[in-house]
Amino acid sequence: MATDEAANMTNETNLTNLANKQNMTDKADTANEADLTDKATRENMADEPNKGNEESEQGSPSLLRAVIEEAGYEAGHPIVRNIVLDVRSGERVGLIGPNGAGKSTLMKGLLGQLPHWRAQVYWRGEEEGNAGEGLHSAIAYIPEQPIVYERLTLWEHLVLAAASAGLSEDELNERADKLLRRFRLSGFRHHYPVKFSKGMQQKTMLIVAFLLKPDLYLVDEPFIGLDPGAVLELIDALEEERSRGAAVLMTTHVLDSAERMCDRFVLVSDGGAAASGTLEEIAKQAGFGPDARLFDCFHRLASREDEVEA
Amino acid sequence: MTPSDSAANRPVPSRSVGSFTPSRLFAARAAAFWTTIWKCWRIVLDWTVCLYIVLPGAFIAVGIYRDFMREPPPGLAEFPLYPILLALALPQLAGKYRTFAESGDGLFLHRNPQWRRRFAKMGFAYGGAARLLVTSIAVMTLSPVLLPVFGLSAGSLGALVVYYTAAGLFWSMLRDRVALSWKGWRRWAATLPAGAAFVLGVPALAERGAASPGAAFLSGAAFLAAALVLLLWRMRKKGTLLHEITVENESYASLVSWVLMDTMEKKPLPRQRKPILFARSQPLLPHRDNVADRLADSWMKSVLRRPDLVKQLFYTLGVGAAALALPPIPFAVIVWLGLPFLVVATLRRYWTQWLSEPYLTLFVWSDQAEAEASRKATAWLAMPLVLLWALLIGVRIGLAFGGIAWIAVAAVPAAGYYWLRAANDILISFAASRRKKE
């Protein structure tokens, strides 16, 4: 209990610091009042005073919460700044935005792969440093470009993944057989994935991720390279995982699928959050009615961003 | 007619673009390639290495060669000529038909038939010139033996150079054709018997040619004609760009893989869709649910499936065996005590490199599992080499002292087993302490 309180206090301090910095920036740069990125970020930050371990309106606890001050590949050149991400158990959050907006950078940051990353990340209410290895072992990452090792067969890729997750041989056999059948790769289990087509390699990455049954999936452009059958299987598999309680944070350009799959969205534009919320909330922010399509909202918000920049 | 129409209707230059001709471009690329290779080797061949290792080594080698040629071993005249001619044939198996193609050629150059044909001819000429140079050097090196001891004439040597060059050229074109026609086991099924026939047949024909230079020239001309027929087929063949790029990548990798083994961005990819070793993904080590065993097993299979790494292990085995066979037994034993450290250090470098592979970094591995896996895996892979060396030492001791000393054949490998484990533990502890300091 005392530990929780201490963690909350630490979290509050971190957020207060961030908010103070934000206020100072605001005072110094009132010309940027119209900047939707900062506005949305401030709204996000102001709306979420309980840091890492608050509960959502639906009552589900926050699984991952990241308060990102700035992130990038070079000091002084942030690609992403002032974004708050909140993913709850069983929820699917879509990170959408134009090319080069910083979506993939955000993913890399969450995976600890960025050299410059100023953020507080909370995993099940605990700050990342305190979560130990729990965070990384509970996340499965499906990259946009499939990552395979050239001298291992598909089955051996699965054996390694299973070893990292501590799966027994029986669990591996049962889960892997099911997934290989589902993604129609049963006949290729002893082939080198490096010799597969892009779509088959993408399926390999999906199988590896689903095999681990993580709490959170970080999925970067999941539909690229997949045939329509595989897209449907992916959607079904993610739905099954959602019913298990797993959350998904995905970046995508395929807005129709995102609209069908995701519960909430964060529109990233020019490295910041231009809008966030459910489709209804996004539509409101874009000035549309509740029946608006995500594509139209995206288009309008992105255009507005361009106008502000101009 | 708009400017773009006129541009579209402009004929594609057939022989040159501006002042650039296919032959100039080919020459520029060949020069750039060898400059790059030289720069890579300069990484290891700095002045200290040249001064303290290369120059003394060359000096000693030249001295040994001079002594050998001045006073050939007495019985060499009775030695058959065939093995020497076989040794001359073996280098001809190396080298491929190259065109120095680049992936960007797909945009324009490779779509122009005349440029493509010209590049094909240049590749043929380049291969011929390279083989002529290598064969001439080899024959000249052996000439002090071939001329006086075996009684060959200067004309015969000239004929041998032409013959081997033509035979090598034919072999490279034949291999190229096989590679373009088949993949996987079919390619191997075609290449292996053809290679065996080449290695055995070419020296047999050369033996006849050594007696009669005319016959050697004639055989060389026949090989050249056959190579030209294959070149004509190759020039008519379309869709060869990907194959040519693969050949270029492999040539580059084979020349610098040793120097850049830890830094090469493009590692050689497997040629087959399925592995030849452990084709059913079966484990090398029996394991069920142990993380370290699974990691160790995956790494060992990865190493054994990489021909470049296996080749290096074989080289290490050969050089180690030579270092144990040549010096007096006490020195050989000292060398033998050091060799496990060398092998384990090499394998540990492979291990570290493997663990940093992007796929491996997707997962979290505990320090304990990593340490246990590396301990097991390096010991298992080093074991055959260390035991073979130990066996060699044991046999030398047995031969030198006889009788009860033959027990060394069993005792030294047994000691080798424990010595390897100790060497492995020492190096792992050393690496762990270094990591802690960092």
Side-chain angles (χ1 to χ4, degrees):
Chain A
M1 194 67 179
T3 318
D4 287 346
E5 279 173 15
N8 282 344
M9 282 174 70
T10 314
N11 296 345
E12 276 173 19
T13 313
N14 289 334
L15 274 179
T16 312
N17 290 341
L18 192 65
N20 286 342
K21 280 180 196 164
Q22 191 62 47
N23 286 337
M24 284 164 71
T25 313
D26 291 344
K27 280 175 194 166
D29 191 7
T30 45
N32 283 345
E33 273 299 313
D35 187 324
L36 283 170
T37 305
D38 287 348
K39 192 176 167 206
T41 308
R42 280 196 308 279
E43 281 170 4
N44 277 335
M45 289 175 175
D47 287 349
E48 294 163 293
N50 296 323
K51 295 32 123 212
N53 48 0
E54 87 285 10
E55 293 198 345
S56 71
E57 283 171 14
Q58 297 87 350
S60 58
S62 179
L63 187 68
L64 173 79
R65 183 177 166 77
V67 183
I68 301 148
E69 244 179 287
E70 60 174 53
Y73 301 91
E74 257 183 281
H77 295 281
I79 307 289
V80 172
R81 59 196 175 277
N82 302 334
I83 290 185
V84 175
L85 282 176
D86 196 359
V87 187
R88 300 172 182 110
S89 292
E91 189 180 42
R92 290 195 293 222
V93 179
L95 267 179
I96 55 174
N99 292 330
K103 305 183 297 293
S104 297
T105 305
L106 208 54
M107 288 274 189
K108 284 179 190 158
L110 289 172
L111 289 161
Q113 295 175 354
L114 280 186
H116 299 284
W117 172 251
R118 276 205 292 157
Q120 282 89 49
V121 179
Y122 304 93
W123 178 251
R124 293 191 186 283
E126 263 198 89
E127 197 164 358
E128 191 191 2
N130 304 328
E133 286 184 353
L135 172 62
H136 288 294
S137 57
I139 289 180
Y141 172 54
I142 304 171
E144 183 182 357
Q145 291 297 329
I147 298 172
V148 293
Y149 181 64
E150 61 268 21
R151 298 286 170 177
L152 291 177
T153 63
L154 169 55
W155 183 257
E156 288 159 354
H157 276 76
L158 302 184
V159 169
L160 262 183
S164 78
L167 296 186
S168 70
E169 193 134 326
D170 294 337
E171 282 173 310
L172 164 68
N173 289 334
E174 188 198 327
R175 290 188 197 176
D177 282 340
K178 201 174 144 193
L179 286 164
L180 287 169
R181 272 200 306 277
R182 171 169 231 162
F183 288 99
R184 296 181 180 83
L185 287 183
S186 294
F188 299 93
R189 64 173 66 201
H190 302 307
H191 287 225
Y192 286 130
V194 75
K195 303 296 259 187
F196 287 174
S197 67
K198 165 86 195 300
M200 288 166 80
Q201 288 185 352
Q202 192 66 12
K203 286 181 187 178
T204 303
M205 297 314 293
L206 293 174
I207 292 172
V208 167
F210 285 122
L211 181 76
L212 305 178
K213 287 196 179 291
D215 296 331
L216 172 64
Y217 290 89
L218 294 184
V219 194
D220 201 356
E221 297 291 356
F223 306 113
I224 291 179
L226 291 181
D227 58 65
V231 169
L232 282 178
E233 287 299 341
L234 170 62
I235 291 172
D236 284 352
L238 285 176
E239 188 55 43
E240 282 172 24
E241 287 299 279
R242 187 231 286 267
S243 61
R244 189 175 62 80
V248 179
L249 177 63
M250 60 188 271
T251 71
T252 182
H253 287 117
V254 186
L255 297 184
D256 288 346
S257 301
E259 190 179 320
R260 274 204 297 155
M261 287 178 66
C262 297
D263 307 304
R264 288 194 302 115
F265 305 90
V266 177
L267 172 58
V268 184
S269 183
D270 196 25
S276 66
T278 60
L279 180 56
E280 212 171 302
E281 288 163 348
I282 294 261
K284 202 172 160 190
Q285 288 170 54
F288 285 120
D291 297 334
R293 304 294 308 271
L294 183 61
F295 183 85
D296 298 323
C297 301
F298 174 86
H299 186 63
R300 178 169 292 182
L301 287 165
S303 312
R304 202 183 281 172
E305 282 285 290
D306 290 342
E307 281 166 23
V308 170
E309 265 178 43
Chain B
M1 186 185 273
T2 64
S4 60
D5 285 338
S6 70
N9 293 332
R10 200 181 298 147
V12 179
S14 58
R15 283 194 167 268
S16 64
V17 178
S19 62
F20 237 47
T21 60
S23 40
R24 275 192 200 167
L25 182 60
F26 187 96
R29 284 184 179 177
F33 174 82
W34 285 108
T35 309
T36 309
I37 300 295
W38 170 240
K39 281 180 181 168
C40 287
W41 276 93
R42 284 286 295 165
I43 296 169
V44 287
L45 292 176
D46 63 354
W47 70 269
T48 46
V49 174
C50 288
L51 186 64
Y52 295 113
I53 298 174
V54 177
L55 282 179
F59 186 75
I60 292 167
V62 169
I64 293 171
Y65 171 75
R66 194 191 56 190
D67 293 345
F68 184 84
M69 292 303 165
R70 272 185 183 169
E71 286 180 41
L76 191 63
E78 278 80 51
F79 200 70
L81 182 59
Y82 185 83
I84 295 175
L85 297 174
L86 179 69
L88 282 172
L90 287 175
Q92 299 298 340
L93 286 174
K96 291 176 178 171
Y97 171 61
R98 297 181 57 187
T99 55
F100 291 96
E102 291 178 6
S103 45
D105 292 355
L107 290 173
F108 304 110
L109 300 185
H110 224 259
R111 291 160 72 176
N112 183 328
Q114 280 182 308
W115 271 72
R116 203 174 61 233
R117 273 186 232 124
R118 197 70 193 272
F119 259 74
K121 284 181 198 167
M122 291 295 297
F124 188 82
Y126 169 85
R131 282 174 192 279
L132 186 65
L133 181 71
V134 172
T135 313
S136 302
I137 291 170
V139 171
M140 274 166 60
T141 309
L142 291 171
S143 60
V145 171
L146 292 173
L147 288 171
V149 180
F150 291 97
L152 299 189
S153 65
S156 299
L157 293 194
L160 280 181
V161 169
V162 172
Y163 168 76
Y164 274 110
T165 302
L169 208 49
F170 165 73
W171 171 249
S172 68
M173 296 308 295
L174 185 69
R175 251 181 97 183
D176 187 73
R177 166 139 198 188
V178 168
L180 275 168
S181 304
W182 295 295
K183 282 186 183 299
W185 68 268
R186 287 181 191 83
R187 185 185 293 180
W188 283 100
T191 309
L192 283 179
F198 181 88
V199 166
L200 298 174
V202 165
L205 271 174
E207 207 169 10
R208 290 186 185 181
S212 148
F217 277 120
L218 211 61
S219 308
F223 272 124
L224 190 62
L228 281 168
V229 169
L230 289 169
L231 174 66
L232 287 176
W233 176 85
R234 180 67 161 70
M235 282 162 61
R236 282 199 294 269
K237 178 93 178 154
K238 286 180 183 167
T240 57
L241 182 62
L242 287 179
H243 163 74
E244 289 172 34
I245 291 166
T246 307
V247 168
E248 291 308 314
N249 288 341
E250 285 171 357
S251 301
Y252 174 76
S254 68
L255 287 166
V256 300
S257 58
W258 186 79
V259 184
L260 302 178
M261 66 175 84
D262 294 334
T263 54
M264 269 176 73
E265 284 180 15
K266 282 185 181 173
K267 290 190 292 295
L269 292 180
R271 290 181 187 174
Q272 298 80 20
R273 282 179 300 172
K274 293 171 74 175
I276 295 169
L277 288 176
F278 315 103
R280 307 284 304 164
S281 311
Q282 62 271 42
L284 175 62
L285 300 174
H287 63 74
R288 273 190 68 80
D289 299 339
N290 185 305
V291 179
D293 285 351
R294 284 178 176 176
L295 254 182
D297 191 72
S298 299
W299 176 72
M300 287 167 70
K301 285 196 282 187
S302 305
V303 171
L304 294 175
R305 284 173 182 158
R306 273 189 64 178
D308 54 329
L309 298 187
V310 172
K311 213 190 288 177
Q312 279 163 24
L313 288 177
F314 271 110
Y315 287 156
T316 310
L317 177 68
V319 172
L324 296 176
L326 296 174
I329 289 177
F331 287 112
V333 171
I334 293 169
V335 172
W336 175 73
L337 289 173
L339 282 176
F341 287 92
L342 180 76
V343 184
V344 170
T346 307
L347 289 171
R348 282 199 56 76
R349 204 175 61 242
Y350 295 170
W351 169 264
T352 315
Q353 195 187 345
W354 184 74
L355 267 191
S356 63
E357 286 289 338
Y359 183 75
L360 272 292
T361 56
L362 286 178
F363 310 106
V364 180
W365 308 103
S366 71
D367 290 345
Q368 194 193 346
E370 257 186 56
E372 194 187 331
S374 79
R375 190 184 302 269
K376 281 185 182 176
T378 46
W380 274 97
L381 272 195
M383 195 67 75
L385 278 76
V386 172
L387 292 186
L388 280 172
W389 287 328
L391 193 66
L392 180 64
I393 291 282
V395 169
R396 281 197 71 188
I397 292 172
L399 285 172
F401 303 104
I404 192 77
W406 277 105
I407 207 166
V409 172
V412 181
Y417 171 78
Y418 290 103
W419 181 240
L420 170 65
R421 288 182 58 171
N424 199 20
D425 287 347
I426 290 168
L427 286 181
I428 286 174
S429 309
F430 178 68
S433 67
R434 260 182 55 181
R435 256 206 315 273
K436 258 186 197 170
K437 271 185 191 171
E438 282 166 11

